[in-house]
Amino acid sequence: MPKKILITLLAVVLALAPVCALAAQFSTDPDAIELAAKSILMLEVYDADNELLATGSGFVAFNNRTLITNYHVIEGADWMLANSDDGYEYMVTKVLIADEDKDIAICEFMSPTDLTPLTLNIDGDLKRAQNVVAIGNPMGTVVGATNTVSIGNISALYQDESVRWIQFTAPISEGSSGGALFDDQGQ
């Protein structure tokens, strides 16, 4: 191949590299979003009398046995059932740790699942105007165990005592509590 053609080809590849990088963003990749949604579950929270107390969302993280949700979703729970988009049900039998002030609960499934843990953004390298994707299960059993997806951006980041807040524009509805908010790297 003549040197001039090789240099031209290289210039075209380098010029297209940013376009390819944009195509790999999570918020514009429906296949990646579909895959991530499989690890976000609709929670049914029951009391000791088997009465439904609440519904909400939760997601699998760390390993295939750990579920993260909001504390207010599981408050007062005696037992919980987690429903997947694929129609599978998983028993949540243990609360490993819960913090009412930070509104977080880390729970454990009765047994290992076939669900893929989501990758957490532990660097905290978020910025205003970054794209985000919210996945959750609004309205619980009314809609069924089907996650909804909405896209927006980070509008503000701030700290209030020991809690770090992320304000975002992706619309969410009641029942989405405990769902996942993804950055454009899919974390």
Side-chain angles (χ1 to χ4, degrees):
M1 182 177 300
K3 189 174 182 180
K4 187 174 183 177
I5 293 174
L6 185 58
I7 291 172
T8 304
L9 201 61
L10 183 57
V12 169
V13 169
L14 291 175
L16 290 176
V19 174
C20 294
L22 286 176
Q25 290 182 342
F26 185 77
S27 64
T28 60
D29 188 345
D31 292 330
I33 292 170
E34 281 295 320
L35 187 61
K38 293 180 182 294
S39 296
I40 301 164
L41 307 167
M42 192 267 296
L43 300 180
E44 296 176 32
V45 180
Y46 293 91
D47 65 12
D49 297 324
N50 296 327
E51 295 290 325
L52 182 66
L53 292 176
T55 61
S57 303
F59 63 93
V60 181
F62 306 120
N63 57 49
N64 66 353
R65 224 179 149 161
T66 305
L67 178 83
I68 298 177
T69 189
N70 288 116
Y71 176 84
H72 75 266
V73 171
I74 67 156
E75 187 173 14
D78 189 63
W79 63 280
M80 294 171 274
L81 191 62
N83 300 280
S84 74
D85 266 359
D86 296 331
Y88 294 102
E89 295 180 337
Y90 303 93
M91 288 291 299
V92 181
T93 54
K94 187 188 291 185
V95 176
L96 300 174
I97 189 165
D99 187 322
E100 183 176 7
D101 292 334
K102 293 184 179 176
D103 197 23
I104 190 167
I106 301 175
C107 305
E108 186 174 75
F109 294 107
M110 181 189 308
S111 57
T113 68
D114 59 348
L115 301 169
T116 303
L118 298 175
T119 303
L120 302 178
N121 178 333
I122 57 173
D123 296 330
D125 55 350
L126 303 174
K127 294 181 180 138
R128 287 176 291 191
Q130 274 184 273
N131 290 336
V132 291
V133 176
I135 304 177
N137 204 298
M139 299 179 4
T141 55
V142 174
V143 175
T146 302
N147 286 311
T148 62
V149 175
S150 61
I151 298 173
N153 68 299
I154 295 174
S155 51
L157 298 162
Y158 53 95
Q159 184 108 8
D160 180 19
E161 296 182 24
S162 63
V163 179
R164 183 172 176 213
W165 294 92
I166 303 169
Q167 180 180 333
F168 57 92
T169 63
I172 58 172
S173 302
E174 187 176 332
S176 293
S177 291
L181 182 68
F182 293 89
D183 61 18
D184 245 355
Q185 286 67 52
Q187 301 178 337

